[in-house]
Amino acid sequence: MPETRKPNPARRSERSRQAILDAARELISEMGYAKVSIEAIAARAGVGKQTIYRWWPSKGAVVFDSFLALSQDPEGEGMALPDTGDLEADLKLVMRATVAELADPAFEAPIRALNLEIINDPDLAAQYREKLADPVDEVKKERLRSAQRAGQLDADADLDLVLEVLYAPLHHRWLHRSGPLTAGYADALVDATLRAFRPAGEITPGS
Amino acid sequence: MPETRKPNPARRSERSRQAILDAARELISEMGYAKVSIEAIAARAGVGKQTIYRWWPSKGAVVFDSFLALSQDPEGEGMALPDTGDLEADLKLVMRATVAELADPAFEAPIRALNLEIINDPDLAAQYREKLADPVDEVKKERLRSAQRAGQLDADADLDLVLEVLYAPLHHRWLHRSGPLTAGYADALVDATLRAFRPAGEITPGS
Amino acid sequence: MPETRKPNPARRSERSRQAILDAARELISEMGYAKVSIEAIAARAGVGKQTIYRWWPSKGAVVFDSFLALSQDPEGEGMALPDTGDLEADLKLVMRATVAELADPAFEAPIRALNLEIINDPDLAAQYREKLADPVDEVKKERLRSAQRAGQLDADADLDLVLEVLYAPLHHRWLHRSGPLTAGYADALVDATLRAFRPAGEITPGS
Amino acid sequence: MPETRKPNPARRSERSRQAILDAARELISEMGYAKVSIEAIAARAGVGKQTIYRWWPSKGAVVFDSFLALSQDPEGEGMALPDTGDLEADLKLVMRATVAELADPAFEAPIRALNLEIINDPDLAAQYREKLADPVDEVKKERLRSAQRAGQLDADADLDLVLEVLYAPLHHRWLHRSGPLTAGYADALVDATLRAFRPAGEITPGS
DNA sequence: GCTTAACCGAGACGGTACGTCTTGTCTTTCC
DNA sequence: GGAAAGACAAGACGTACCGTCTCGGTTAAGC
């Protein structure tokens, strides 16, 4: 058995781990993902390079973990979408917030970096879905199920598909910079999605 | 004025240009975008590095051009989507073909490489839209306008939005590997899009 | 007083000490002094690195001790040069043996390693003279004193000088690989030395 | 054919070569051979590391070349030992100068460094003999031949052996720090050597 | 016989240097 | 004057060791 020597996680220095993740996040904000080197992360964190190589397989993995750590800083639970009973209003609120977040230049570099990693590395993509995307999607689906029970959404709709129709155009337009991200665009996506997954039997009110 | 010396395009060696673009495409297929270096491209093309630096500002630009060259190999015109009069059937045909293309492992590496470049570099993104995306989208929109005239699509629909709702979910799912790409998925996207942009006044047939 | 904590020699593990010295000797034979690391010695000896650092100040000291241990394996006494009454014959015997030893490739790496250490580190050089060179030289000088009493060597000769004239050329030629080490060469050195330190008043027999 | 790519010597930058050799010499004087790293040499010389690795196989080779360059700075010819007709006086003069040189602490570190390299690396040893030792020895042998013609040295003596008997003890004592290096010691070595290689037939004058 | 200090193996740590690879510039030589 | 060839300064890569520093486990003194 080849069995590459594995480090003993029990001995891992929590102080170093935190310093590395912090340094990674700082450097990405400061100079952009592509220009960040592992050497720079180690230097900024006051850590030997080997300590990074010991615990992470690649720069991407470090960067990914640094995002993960951010998202899980709070207790991680209790997140929920607003549920006023008016699905359209609630979704527009959330989509407009998402649009605003993506338009914030402070988020620009890190989120693009995260997307680059995910596109490149199937392992990180899987981890991303499991640790970040799926939990968030579950919260959104919960709101959609509530809407299904309230008769505001087709009870047979595939909720994964609903979320994709709702979010993918926004994400794609942001990623490719192929159009403006405005509140009106957010609203239009919500409208289109609700038309597509309106409960069966309703009279079409026109687009 | 410092005025960085600019090369005279008239003197450009067509032989070298082709060799470089070919080498770039080959190497990306063989070893993936991230592992391709300008040195390797130059060596494979039998070209001095300076010849690459003289005509392209970055590796991304070379790679991008190598794709551009591919897409424009044919006369570049006359491309048109099928128009049998049945929008749903025509779209499903096209979407199923797109799904099949994305699932082809031979396309995997190069298309991901292209997407990486576009995400990273706003200039390339603009060039991409202008040279590759917009012409293709125009062809698609032409089919949609035909459908609008035939009363199969809401005459007031924003065709850019229609295309996004139709394609972005597919593209996103492929990019993030967040779900299977099947013919059924292609059909579901067409169905959802047609429901969302159905002409006003129609009776909902159910999802 | 800061007083760096000193280890208690009474607690020293004899098993570890032996394993370390053995590992050091083995590794030097296998890969040459320069390529042997303390980590490798520790790993081969099945010992923690700290156990080496606790008892030796440097790699050189370990290596030196490993040689020392070798030379002192026997009871360490009773060594004596042959004394047949014929100084020339006795010296030629010993010198030819020395030549043979130096020509043995198995001795090559370790003895060079030892010389490197001695040249580099005055402390080790002093220890070397005290523990290894001086006792051996004393044995040789005893034979020379016997020759002086027998009138075969100048009674006033500086025996340290005699030994240097006898051995240094051989050692130098080996160290610098500046010439062949043969039995004839050994004889020539003995002849030259005896001519240089022949008792006063003798008739020169020619070289 | 494996054929490791070889750099083209015609393109070699003389400026870089000199800067590297100078930096190497300076650093060895300042911090001792063992503590000098290739990185430090490159940094001091204002040169990329690759430029060193391109032209020298090892640190030892750089250091060796830096000595070589020193010794060949002058026209390299015309060196000759004094020849007053009195061999003993001439040799004592030269040997006392050698003793003084070895005792000079400024020479200590670099010459020890050079010896370490030679002992370790047969290739460098061969180069050392060819480029440095042999030419110097030839000058010395020329003086000895003059003495042979003058009847002050055995005409049949092996001059290589004479030089070894004369110099090796001194070199060995310095290298191993096994005794004081004094003018008296220099004289004693000359005396012993002359006794050993006195022309045949002479009456022994006593030691 | 119980406690306790020290040694032990193991190996993570902050570092330094290694030797290799690539970048983008510069220079030389050929066509 | 464009192009091949490739040396150059710069600096990141991932690896190997350095010498120090915990960790538990295990002896062996000293009570």
Side-chain angles (χ1 to χ4, degrees):
Chain A
M1 197 163 43
E3 166 149 34
T4 34
R5 214 73 199 72
K6 269 180 203 148
N8 177 355
R11 302 268 174 129
R12 182 163 190 178
S13 157
E14 178 56 22
R15 147 196 288 275
S16 293
R17 199 185 128 272
Q18 268 306 334
I20 289 164
L21 297 181
D22 291 350
R25 241 172 304 127
E26 288 169 28
L27 287 170
I28 287 175
S29 298
E30 289 172 21
M31 41 205 300
Y33 175 75
K35 298 205 160 182
V36 173
S37 65
I38 289 194
E39 298 222 318
I41 296 174
R44 170 77 65 106
V47 136
K49 285 201 291 176
Q50 199 57 47
T51 301
I52 297 183
Y53 285 110
R54 182 150 36 227
W55 302 108
W56 288 277
S58 67
K59 185 175 75 164
V62 178
V63 170
F64 180 80
D65 261 21
S66 76
F67 280 99
L68 211 58
L70 250 198
S71 332
Q72 297 180 331
D73 264 358
E75 75 282 8
E77 304 300 328
M79 251 186 319
L81 259 50
D83 189 346
T84 63
D86 181 345
L87 178 62
E88 179 183 334
D90 289 353
L91 286 183
K92 285 185 176 171
L93 188 69
V94 169
M95 287 293 281
R96 283 167 177 240
T98 303
V99 161
E101 190 179 88
L102 290 177
D104 179 348
F107 278 78
E108 183 84 5
I111 306 190
R112 278 189 195 276
L114 182 57
N115 270 280
L116 279 181
E117 287 308 322
I118 287 166
I119 291 169
N120 250 337
D121 184 337
D123 289 346
L124 288 180
Q127 240 189 303
Y128 168 75
R129 285 196 311 280
E130 182 191 345
K131 301 277 185 53
L132 288 177
D134 284 354
V136 170
D137 282 357
E138 187 47 42
V139 167
K140 292 172 185 163
K141 287 193 219 163
E142 200 42 62
R143 177 66 189 83
L144 296 182
R145 282 191 207 104
S146 162
Q148 286 176 318
R149 287 190 296 270
Q152 296 175 329
L153 199 69
D154 180 1
D156 294 331
D158 174 348
L159 296 186
D160 284 316
L161 185 62
V162 176
L163 286 180
E164 281 179 345
V165 168
L166 189 57
Y167 280 96
L170 173 57
H171 188 258
H172 182 272
R173 190 175 270 209
W174 173 74
L175 211 54
H176 280 212
R177 288 178 255 247
S178 53
L181 300 185
T182 61
Y185 179 61
D187 291 351
L189 283 175
V190 172
D191 290 337
T193 304
L194 290 184
R195 284 197 306 273
F197 299 100
R198 168 192 319 126
E202 263 189 24
I203 299 293
T204 307
S207 69
Chain B
M1 195 164 47
E3 166 155 32
T4 34
R5 219 65 200 74
K6 271 186 200 139
N8 175 357
R11 295 281 193 120
R12 182 165 191 176
S13 155
E14 178 56 20
R15 149 199 284 275
S16 292
R17 198 184 131 273
Q18 267 308 331
I20 289 164
L21 296 181
D22 290 349
R25 240 172 304 123
E26 287 170 28
L27 287 170
I28 287 174
S29 297
E30 288 172 20
M31 39 204 300
Y33 174 74
K35 298 204 160 181
V36 173
S37 65
I38 290 195
E39 300 226 313
I41 295 174
R44 168 77 65 107
V47 133
K49 287 199 297 174
Q50 198 57 254
T51 303
I52 297 183
Y53 284 111
R54 194 165 10 242
W55 300 108
W56 288 275
S58 68
K59 184 175 74 166
V62 179
V63 171
F64 180 81
D65 262 22
S66 76
F67 280 99
L68 211 58
L70 250 198
S71 332
Q72 297 181 331
D73 263 359
E75 72 283 8
E77 303 302 326
M79 250 187 320
L81 258 49
D83 190 347
T84 64
D86 180 346
L87 178 62
E88 181 184 333
D90 289 354
L91 287 183
K92 285 184 176 171
L93 189 70
V94 169
M95 286 294 281
R96 282 168 178 241
T98 303
V99 161
E101 189 178 89
L102 290 177
D104 180 347
F107 279 78
E108 182 86 4
I111 306 190
R112 278 188 196 277
L114 182 57
N115 272 279
L116 279 181
E117 286 308 324
I118 288 166
I119 291 169
N120 249 337
D121 184 335
D123 289 346
L124 289 180
Q127 239 189 304
Y128 168 76
R129 285 196 311 280
E130 183 192 345
K131 300 276 185 54
L132 288 177
D134 284 354
V136 169
D137 282 357
E138 188 47 42
V139 167
K140 292 173 185 161
K141 286 193 219 163
E142 200 42 62
R143 177 67 188 82
L144 295 182
R145 280 191 209 102
S146 161
Q148 285 177 317
R149 287 188 297 270
Q152 295 176 330
L153 199 68
D154 179 2
D156 294 332
D158 174 348
L159 296 186
D160 284 316
L161 184 62
V162 176
L163 286 181
E164 281 179 345
V165 169
L166 188 58
Y167 280 95
L170 172 57
H171 187 256
H172 181 273
R173 192 177 268 210
W174 172 74
L175 212 53
H176 281 213
R177 291 178 251 248
S178 52
L181 300 186
T182 62
Y185 179 62
D187 291 352
L189 283 175
V190 172
D191 290 338
T193 303
L194 291 183
R195 283 198 306 275
F197 299 100
R198 169 192 317 128
E202 263 187 26
I203 299 294
T204 307
S207 69
Chain C
M1 194 162 48
E3 165 154 34
T4 34
R5 216 67 199 75
K6 271 181 200 147
N8 176 356
R11 296 279 188 109
R12 181 165 193 176
S13 157
E14 179 58 19
R15 149 199 285 274
S16 293
R17 198 185 131 271
Q18 268 308 332
I20 290 164
L21 296 181
D22 290 350
R25 242 173 302 125
E26 288 169 28
L27 287 170
I28 287 174
S29 297
E30 289 171 21
M31 39 204 302
Y33 175 74
K35 298 204 160 182
V36 173
S37 66
I38 289 195
E39 298 223 316
I41 296 175
R44 169 77 65 106
V47 134
K49 287 200 295 176
Q50 198 58 254
T51 303
I52 297 183
Y53 284 111
R54 186 156 28 229
W55 302 107
W56 288 276
S58 68
K59 182 175 76 165
V62 178
V63 170
F64 181 81
D65 261 22
S66 76
F67 280 99
L68 212 58
L70 251 198
S71 331
Q72 296 179 334
D73 263 357
E75 72 285 6
E77 303 302 326
M79 250 188 319
L81 258 50
D83 189 348
T84 65
D86 181 347
L87 179 61
E88 181 184 333
D90 289 353
L91 287 182
K92 285 184 176 173
L93 189 69
V94 170
M95 287 292 281
R96 283 166 177 242
T98 303
V99 161
E101 190 180 88
L102 290 177
D104 180 347
F107 278 79
E108 183 86 5
I111 306 191
R112 279 188 195 277
L114 182 58
N115 271 280
L116 279 181
E117 287 307 324
I118 288 164
I119 291 168
N120 250 337
D121 185 336
D123 290 346
L124 288 180
Q127 238 189 305
Y128 168 75
R129 285 196 310 279
E130 183 193 344
K131 300 276 185 55
L132 288 177
D134 284 354
V136 169
D137 282 356
E138 187 48 42
V139 168
K140 293 172 185 163
K141 285 193 220 164
E142 198 43 60
R143 178 65 188 84
L144 295 182
R145 282 190 208 101
S146 161
Q148 286 177 317
R149 286 189 297 269
Q152 296 175 330
L153 200 67
D154 180 2
D156 293 332
D158 174 348
L159 297 187
D160 284 317
L161 186 61
V162 176
L163 286 180
E164 281 180 342
V165 169
L166 190 57
Y167 281 95
L170 173 56
H171 187 257
H172 181 273
R173 191 175 269 210
W174 173 74
L175 212 53
H176 281 212
R177 290 178 251 249
S178 53
L181 300 186
T182 62
Y185 179 61
D187 291 352
L189 283 175
V190 172
D191 291 338
T193 303
L194 291 183
R195 285 198 306 275
F197 298 100
R198 170 193 314 128
E202 265 188 22
I203 299 294
T204 305
S207 72
Chain D
M1 195 165 42
E3 164 149 35
T4 32
R5 214 72 199 73
K6 269 181 201 145
N8 177 355
R11 301 271 175 119
R12 181 164 192 177
S13 156
E14 178 57 20
R15 150 198 286 275
S16 293
R17 200 186 128 269
Q18 268 307 332
I20 289 164
L21 296 181
D22 291 349
R25 241 173 302 126
E26 287 169 29
L27 287 169
I28 287 175
S29 296
E30 288 171 23
M31 40 205 301
Y33 174 75
K35 299 206 159 182
V36 173
S37 65
I38 289 193
E39 299 221 317
I41 295 174
R44 170 78 64 108
V47 136
K49 286 199 292 175
Q50 199 57 45
T51 301
I52 297 183
Y53 285 110
R54 180 150 38 227
W55 302 109
W56 288 276
S58 67
K59 184 175 75 165
V62 178
V63 170
F64 180 80
D65 260 21
S66 76
F67 280 99
L68 211 59
L70 250 198
S71 331
Q72 297 180 331
D73 264 356
E75 74 284 9
E77 303 300 327
M79 250 187 320
L81 259 49
D83 189 347
T84 64
D86 181 347
L87 179 62
E88 180 184 335
D90 289 352
L91 287 182
K92 285 185 175 171
L93 189 68
V94 170
M95 286 293 282
R96 283 169 177 238
T98 304
V99 161
E101 191 179 86
L102 291 177
D104 180 348
F107 278 78
E108 183 84 6
I111 305 189
R112 276 188 197 277
L114 183 57
N115 271 280
L116 279 182
E117 287 307 322
I118 288 166
I119 291 169
N120 250 337
D121 184 336
D123 289 346
L124 288 180
Q127 238 189 307
Y128 168 76
R129 285 196 311 280
E130 183 191 345
K131 300 277 185 53
L132 288 176
D134 284 354
V136 170
D137 281 357
E138 187 48 42
V139 168
K140 292 172 185 163
K141 286 194 218 163
E142 199 42 60
R143 178 65 189 85
L144 295 182
R145 282 191 207 100
S146 161
Q148 286 177 318
R149 287 190 296 269
Q152 294 175 331
L153 200 67
D154 180 1
D156 294 331
D158 174 348
L159 297 186
D160 285 316
L161 185 62
V162 176
L163 286 180
E164 282 180 344
V165 169
L166 189 57
Y167 280 94
L170 172 57
H171 187 257
H172 181 271
R173 189 175 272 210
W174 173 74
L175 212 53
H176 280 210
R177 289 178 255 247
S178 54
L181 300 186
T182 62
Y185 179 61
D187 290 352
L189 283 175
V190 173
D191 290 338
T193 304
L194 291 184
R195 285 198 306 273
F197 298 100
R198 170 193 316 128
E202 264 189 24
I203 299 293
T204 307
S207 69

